[in-house]
Amino acid sequence: MFNLNKTFFPFREVRKGFMLLIFSLLTISLYAQNTELKVSVSKNKLGLNQRLRIEFSVNKQGADDFTPPKFTNFKVIQGPSQSISQSWINGKVSFSKSYTYILKPKRKGELIIGPASIKYNGATINSKMMKIIVLDPIDIPENPNDPDYIAQQNIHLVAEISKSRPYVGEGIYVEYRLYVSENVSVYDTSVTEAPQYNGFWNQEIKINGFPVKMGKYNGEDYRYIVLQKALLIPTKTGKLTLDPMKMDIVIGVPTGRADFFGNVITKNIRKEFASAKKVISPKSLPLEGKPENFTGAVGQFKFDVSLSKEVLKANESSQIKVAVSGKGNLKLFELPTVETPAELEKYQPERKENVRITTDGLSGSVTDTYTVVPQYKGKYKLPSVGFSFFNTKTKKYETINTDDLYVDVTEGKELVTSNSNNVNKKAVVSTGKNFRYIQTQSDFVTNETKDFYKSYLFYILLLLPLLIIPIGILIAKNNEKRNSDVVGLKLRKAEKLARKYLSEAQKQLGKKEAFYEALERALHNYLKAKLNIETSDISKENITKILAEKNIDETTIKHFIDVLKASDFARYTPVTNTEMKQEFERAKQVIVELDKQL
């Protein structure tokens, strides 16, 4: 008989060894999957006379037999230099072993550095290939360790714009970034000259803190922070230039020397940086298909006209709400007006703006609310209202027309209408003594009348011309003297005109946002009325040019522009009621001065 245990024991041993072999292979494969040979370069783009540093690093201890790539088209200036780092953080061990080379390109063009390889637990691990762009030689100082040169190569102040060819009225973004490489440190920054946005309506976007982000500049890895961000809406066509931002920065740059312990010695320097000028060329809106009621709205909008009450009594008020909502230049166009019958008393609209800045530009709604009060009983029609805008997505004009609205006044006085074709006849009713027999006898009594001659009225009318003539002569002389005062006459007319345009701003005194918007709108409306210019042409440069062509005094022009700038600036800074009143008086005075010369 066979002993089953002894007979099959060798088979169990073979099976156990086979399982151990599979487990070992899986373990090796798992280790190989977690092992990486990374490659990084100091710059992806350089001049023919520059150098770059390339570093290969492996994250597993025990990896050896490193094989570098064949640096075809490159000359190895230095390397390989090896370094090992190991750390324990929260119980986790990290390890890195690196091989570093300094290379210099031999020719221009797009050069490829092939993969390096290293062995770990019998497996071969390869790095990625790298593409290097080599350009014409650049100017390099005799001393490559010159701090100014190092700072210039490692810090960049850049203006990034979202779109260089927007339509007039279309919103774009500008973002000022400070790029800093890993080779230097920044200790202090200060803006010495803020950028100017001439030819744009602009709104600065608040940045919460200055978080450090990672990004690429000219194909190289950099740290960067966003210093300033603004929404810009061009108000005219042509080449519009964004002036540079300028900064003073304190930088710690390596000197190329090391201390006793091998630490790199740095030197702090202060250097001025400026962003490059950016040119934006806005496109004019197409003339084809432009509606007659187009007032400059650009974006994607919805339009609605609604009534708060459709059925009411006489002398009871109702509100007509005209609302435009969506995304676009919500603050730069006028809302359509609502026509009402004469029997509905309509008051000046109340403007409300709920506008915020999003990633797509201005977003929200603008509303005009009219209060109407009917005087008579009846049913009244509010005709359809149309709103036109240019859609930046479809690149076409669109018009939204509302439905007719009706106001039904159920109680109140009847509206009296005259109609000459209809004669209302009433029956004659005999009551009391309306109709009597014909009287055959009469008793006439002579009325006693007083003669006008030598009466009190006679003497008053006789003497009245003697009193009226001197008074008339005095009034005529005063009027002549008043009219001959040309300067005074112009001044009175100008003051009356200024009060007319600034009436809305005066109502908003004490409400900062509403006051400065009304003040800016009043100044723009005055220019549109006096100079017959479009909203799209209203910019500080265009205003200066047009007023200069009208032979307006330079001081007056400067005062007008200063009021516009102060109004724009004050909307984003704390101001008091006293400052608002002073700004109102300045605006009033500048309109008076301008109108006297126009």
Side-chain angles (χ1 to χ4, degrees):
M1 294 183 63
F2 291 97
N3 189 330
L4 297 178
N5 290 332
K6 291 183 178 178
T7 303
F8 288 93
F9 178 77
F11 176 76
R12 289 199 301 270
E13 289 296 324
V14 171
R15 184 173 61 181
K16 182 177 179 182
F18 180 70
M19 295 297 293
L20 287 174
L21 177 62
I22 292 176
F23 179 76
S24 300
L25 291 174
L26 288 174
T27 304
I28 293 171
S29 175
L30 182 64
Y31 278 139
Q33 288 175 359
N34 292 332
T35 305
E36 280 186 288
L37 181 59
K38 294 183 178 179
V39 58
S40 62
V41 293
S42 59
K43 56 184 69 179
N44 294 91
K45 187 184 296 184
L46 71 159
L48 183 59
N49 57 340
Q50 288 185 294
R51 301 177 180 181
L52 67 90
R53 183 182 72 255
I54 185 168
E55 181 181 278
F56 302 92
S57 60
V58 63
N59 61 346
K60 288 293 182 180
Q61 193 171 3
D64 57 5
D65 197 10
F66 173 76
T67 304
K70 294 180 179 180
F71 294 113
T72 309
N73 297 318
F74 287 92
K75 180 181 179 181
V76 178
I77 303 299
Q78 182 182 333
S81 57
Q82 298 183 28
S83 64
I84 297 175
S85 65
Q86 191 169 2
S87 62
W88 290 265
I89 300 175
N90 295 328
K92 294 183 178 181
V93 180
S94 63
F95 174 84
S96 177
K97 183 177 182 180
S98 62
Y99 303 84
T100 305
Y101 296 83
I102 304 297
L103 308 177
K104 184 178 180 181
K106 297 178 180 178
R107 65 178 183 86
K108 296 191 298 181
E110 292 188 359
L111 309 182
I112 302 297
I113 298 177
S117 63
I118 198 168
K119 290 185 178 180
Y120 179 71
N121 285 345
T124 301
I125 303 162
N126 296 318
S127 67
K128 295 180 180 179
M129 293 189 299
M130 297 296 293
K131 182 173 73 173
I132 307 297
I133 299 175
V134 181
L135 306 173
D136 292 327
I138 64 171
D139 294 333
I140 298 178
E142 295 181 1
N143 179 15
N145 293 322
D146 178 42
D148 284 338
Y149 174 72
I150 294 175
Q152 184 178 354
Q153 294 297 312
N154 290 276
I155 292 184
H156 308 279
L157 182 57
V158 180
E160 303 278 357
I161 56 175
S162 61
K163 198 172 187 180
S164 61
R165 288 278 290 163
Y167 283 101
V168 171
E170 182 183 1
I172 62 172
Y173 284 97
V174 61
E175 193 173 85
Y176 289 88
R177 296 180 179 182
L178 182 65
Y179 286 92
V180 181
S181 76
E182 299 283 352
N183 302 324
V184 297
S185 302
V186 173
Y187 296 108
D188 188 26
T189 62
S190 61
V191 177
T192 57
E193 188 174 326
Q196 300 296 316
Y197 307 120
N198 297 320
F200 297 90
W201 181 93
N202 65 86
Q203 173 77 59
E204 188 171 342
I205 301 171
K206 185 178 180 182
I207 300 174
N208 295 323
F210 296 96
V212 178
K213 302 177 182 180
M214 297 301 296
K216 285 189 177 292
Y217 178 76
N218 283 342
E220 301 178 29
D221 292 327
Y222 276 82
R223 302 164 292 168
Y224 75 90
I225 59 172
V226 178
L227 300 168
Q228 185 172 318
K229 190 174 183 179
L231 172 67
L232 307 180
I233 299 178
T235 58
K236 61 180 182 179
T237 58
K239 291 186 177 181
L240 305 181
T241 302
L242 298 184
D243 292 333
M245 172 188 279
K246 295 182 180 179
M247 296 185 70
D248 271 349
I249 304 178
V250 177
I251 314 155
V253 298
T255 60
R257 295 180 291 113
D259 59 15
F260 178 78
F261 299 100
N263 299 317
V264 176
I265 299 175
T266 61
K267 178 182 179 181
N268 290 352
I269 64 169
R270 181 181 293 273
K271 187 173 176 62
E272 183 181 66
F273 291 84
S275 62
K277 286 186 178 181
K278 289 287 184 178
V279 177
I280 299 172
S281 303
K283 298 180 288 186
S284 60
L285 298 176
L287 296 176
E288 182 181 356
K290 184 176 181 181
E292 292 183 2
N293 64 345
F294 178 71
T295 59
V298 178
Q300 296 91 47
F301 300 108
K302 295 180 181 179
F303 177 62
D304 183 57
V305 178
S306 60
L307 268 171
S308 63
K309 291 181 182 178
E310 296 180 354
V311 180
L312 63 159
K313 302 175 184 178
N315 297 319
E316 185 180 355
S317 66
S318 178
Q319 280 73 42
I320 305 173
K321 185 178 179 182
V322 181
V324 174
S325 61
K327 300 174 183 177
N329 58 342
L330 283 162
K331 294 189 175 185
L332 300 180
F333 59 84
E334 293 296 328
L335 269 62
T337 57
V338 177
E339 299 297 330
T340 59
E343 292 79 14
L344 296 179
E345 187 176 358
K346 183 177 71 174
Y347 295 89
Q348 287 293 324
E350 179 186 355
R351 171 64 61 90
K352 287 186 179 179
E353 295 182 353
N354 181 18
V355 181
R356 61 191 180 277
I357 298 177
T358 66
T359 54
D360 297 327
L362 292 178
S363 177
S365 63
V366 179
T367 306
D368 278 349
T369 303
Y370 297 83
T371 298
V372 292
V373 180
Q375 301 298 315
Y376 300 97
K377 180 181 177 181
K379 193 168 185 178
Y380 304 100
K381 174 183 175 181
L382 302 180
S384 170
V385 182
F387 171 69
S388 297
F389 63 95
F390 181 77
N391 192 324
T392 52
K393 285 189 176 180
T394 62
K395 295 180 173 54
K396 293 181 180 179
Y397 291 99
E398 297 180 12
T399 300
I400 303 174
N401 293 306
T402 62
D403 296 329
D404 295 337
L405 299 177
Y406 294 89
V407 177
D408 191 3
V409 184
T410 57
E411 296 182 20
K413 295 184 293 183
E414 294 283 354
L415 181 62
V416 179
T417 59
S418 61
N419 192 338
S420 58
N421 295 327
N422 296 327
V423 178
N424 296 326
K425 298 181 179 181
K426 292 185 178 180
V428 177
V429 180
S430 177
T431 59
K433 297 181 179 181
N434 287 345
F435 295 93
R436 291 176 293 177
Y437 294 104
I438 298 174
Q439 191 172 348
T440 57
Q441 293 181 355
S442 62
D443 296 327
F444 292 103
V445 179
T446 305
N447 289 332
E448 293 185 4
T449 58
K450 293 182 180 181
D451 196 357
F452 173 70
Y453 180 67
K454 293 185 179 181
S455 65
Y456 289 115
L457 182 59
F458 173 78
Y459 288 111
I460 290 173
L461 294 176
L462 186 64
L463 296 174
L464 191 60
L466 300 177
L467 296 174
I468 292 176
I469 291 172
I471 294 174
I473 293 172
L474 183 62
I475 293 174
K477 287 184 177 181
N478 286 336
N479 286 338
E480 184 180 356
K481 181 179 179 181
R482 186 183 179 92
N483 292 333
S484 63
D485 183 12
V486 178
V487 176
L489 185 62
K490 283 189 175 182
L491 181 61
R492 288 190 293 274
K493 288 183 178 179
E495 288 180 348
K496 183 178 179 181
L497 190 65
R499 285 195 298 270
K500 171 187 173 183
Y501 280 99
L502 296 172
S503 60
E504 181 62 27
Q506 191 173 20
K507 292 178 185 177
Q508 301 297 341
L509 277 170
K511 303 174 184 177
K512 184 185 76 170
E513 192 72 22
F515 168 74
Y516 283 107
E517 287 181 3
L519 186 65
E520 187 175 9
R521 194 182 303 117
L523 295 173
H524 286 177
N525 289 339
Y526 170 77
L527 287 179
K528 288 164 65 177
K530 297 294 290 185
L531 302 179
N532 193 24
I533 59 178
E534 296 294 332
T535 303
S536 59
D537 294 329
I538 293 180
S539 64
K540 296 181 181 66
E541 299 80 7
N542 214 14
I543 291 171
T544 303
K545 180 181 177 182
I546 293 174
L547 292 179
E549 291 174 354
K550 296 286 184 180
N551 296 323
I552 302 300
D553 183 51
E554 290 184 3
T555 304
T556 305
I557 297 175
K558 183 179 182 301
H559 288 168
F560 191 90
I561 299 301
D562 287 345
V563 171
L564 279 177
K565 288 181 178 178
S567 175
D568 193 37
F569 178 75
R571 288 162 62 186
Y572 315 109
T573 58
V575 293
T576 63
N577 290 345
T578 303
E579 290 173 326
M580 279 190 273
K581 290 178 181 178
Q582 292 174 352
E583 203 61 48
F584 175 80
E585 292 299 327
R586 281 182 62 197
K588 179 180 175 183
Q589 185 61 35
V590 78
I591 289 179
V592 170
E593 289 295 326
L594 194 58
D595 201 69
K596 286 191 324 187
Q597 298 181 48
L598 286 173

